[in-house]
Amino acid sequence: MATLITGAAGRIGACLRRGLPELGHRLRLTDRIPIEEHGVDQIVGDITDPATLAAAMEGVHAVVHLAGDPSTSASFESVLAANIEGTYRVFEAARSAGVERVVFASSNHAAGFTPRQESAPADTPARPDSLYGVSKVYGEALGRYYADRYGIRVACLRIGSFEPRPPDARALSTWLSPGDMVRLAHACLTAPELTYALVWGVSANTRGWLDLEPGRALGYHPQDDAEVYAAEFAGLDPADPDHAWLGGRTVES
Ligand code: 15L
């Protein structure tokens, strides 16, 4: 049985399509953009199209749902189609095809208006900082519904700053390295005890303040730490939104 990755042509998609096969996962890919790689099993199409999704879900036991508008400044029209309708179509197609588990790429921006604190639990209440964040809260709620109502195993990943290396001082707390992204997806795809889980998608950052225990309970053991790059950045003023709020400057945009 294969694992379907939606949004497979995107940045996280590219990372997982390289990393997950090395851990034994057989992948099917879907995206609006064709992936020009030899020998990939792919269905090209839009996630708002049920026929595309029905074809993509055939012979699939798990889905990693990455597709959607990833911009924190996305318009209502854009999140409505890509994130709201698209995420519903993915969960519904998964249910209809008898898929056992869905890993949903949520975001720290679902709770971006959370003030910095000692340790924020993974189920920190929704406090979106943008319409993008609102759409991720919706995706988490859909996941909870499909888990409770239909027994699909669902993990929602509140991903921080997914980059090859931390891009700024904020990311010294929120960075998710490519290697840890693969480890997190693998853990969520294989944890036998998963029913529904909300976990932070961040690395083991020395300056992190997002509780990694729920992820560890699923078998996610992050190995990277943004501190390695700390000397590249000046310290942040406590009043700087990048320090004060989980969502950083997005709270002001
Ligand atoms: C996200 O969820 C966004 O997709 C990305 O563009 C960054 O803003 C990232 O979060 C972050 O918080 O660094």
Side-chain angles (χ1 to χ4, degrees), residues 16 32 40 66 97 109-110 113 119 128 165 189 191 216 229 246:
L16 295 185
R32 290 184 301 192
V40 293
L66 306 173
H109 295 284
F113 264 111
S119 174
R165 51 199 290 156
L189 286 169
R216 288 203 174 96
Y229 303 95
L246 176 55

Side-chain angles (χ1 to χ4, degrees), residues 11 70-72 106-109 132 159-162 170 174 250:
R11 290 186 322 121
S71 169
T72 54
S106 182
S107 166
N108 73 93
H109 295 284
Y132 166 73
I159 295 171
S161 305
F162 172 80
R170 167 178 173 262
T174 58
T250 301

Side-chain angles (χ1 to χ4, degrees), residues 165-242:
R165 51 199 290 156
D168 52 26
R170 167 178 173 262
L172 296 177
S173 302
T174 58
W175 186 48
L176 174 62
S177 73
D180 284 338
M181 178 70 240
V182 173
R183 286 183 267 278
L184 177 58
H186 175 68
C188 293
L189 286 169
T190 53
E193 69 278 22
L194 174 69
T195 52
Y196 174 83
L198 200 49
V199 298
W200 293 117
V202 290
S203 288
N205 303 316
T206 299
R207 302 186 197 199
W209 50 280
L210 304 172
D211 183 10
L212 290 171
E213 279 316 309
R216 288 203 174 96
L218 290 177
Y220 169 51
H221 301 292
Q223 290 176 19
D224 295 317
D225 183 347
E227 204 60 21
V228 174
Y229 303 95
E232 296 176 14
F233 306 104
L236 287 171
D237 185 292
D240 188 317
D242 268 356

Side-chain angles (χ1 to χ4, degrees), residues 84-117:
I84 302 291
E85 179 175 2
T87 300
Y88 164 71
R89 297 277 177 222
V90 167
F91 272 104
E92 184 51 21
R95 181 201 65 75
S96 172
V99 168
E100 291 153 28
R101 85 174 60 198
V102 176
V103 179
F104 168 60
S106 182
S107 166
N108 73 93
H109 295 284
F113 264 111
T114 302
R116 181 178 287 263
Q117 52 198 256

Side-chain angles (χ1 to χ4, degrees), residues 17-155:
R17 46 185 223 254
R18 277 190 284 273
L20 285 177
E22 289 173 11
L23 297 175
H25 300 270
R26 187 158 72 75
L27 300 182
R28 155 106 27 88
L29 311 176
T30 189
D31 205 296
R32 290 184 301 192
I33 301 166
I35 294 162
E36 311 287 356
E37 276 168 22
H38 180 67
V40 293
D41 175 4
Q42 68 177 312
I43 303 281
V44 179
D46 196 296
I47 55 159
T48 59
D49 173 30
T52 295
L53 284 177
M57 298 274 173
E58 262 177 48
V60 157
H61 72 117
V63 176
V64 180
H65 176 39
L66 306 173
D69 189 329
S71 169
T72 54
S73 53
S75 68
F76 175 68
E77 287 68 26
S78 181
V79 296
L80 180 62
N83 301 15
I84 302 291
E85 179 175 2
T87 300
Y88 164 71
R89 297 277 177 222
V90 167
F91 272 104
E92 184 51 21
R95 181 201 65 75
S96 172
V99 168
E100 291 153 28
R101 85 174 60 198
V102 176
V103 179
F104 168 60
S106 182
S107 166
N108 73 93
H109 295 284
F113 264 111
T114 302
R116 181 178 287 263
Q117 52 198 256
E118 191 57 33
S119 174
D123 61 353
T124 287
R127 292 185 74 174
D129 58 17
S130 49
L131 290 174
Y132 166 73
V134 171
S135 75
K136 293 302 183 181
V137 172
Y138 161 86
E140 293 175 0
L142 262 184
R144 179 92 250 195
Y145 169 63
Y146 275 84
D148 285 340
R149 176 69 183 81
Y150 300 109
I152 297 181
R153 298 178 190 273
V154 177

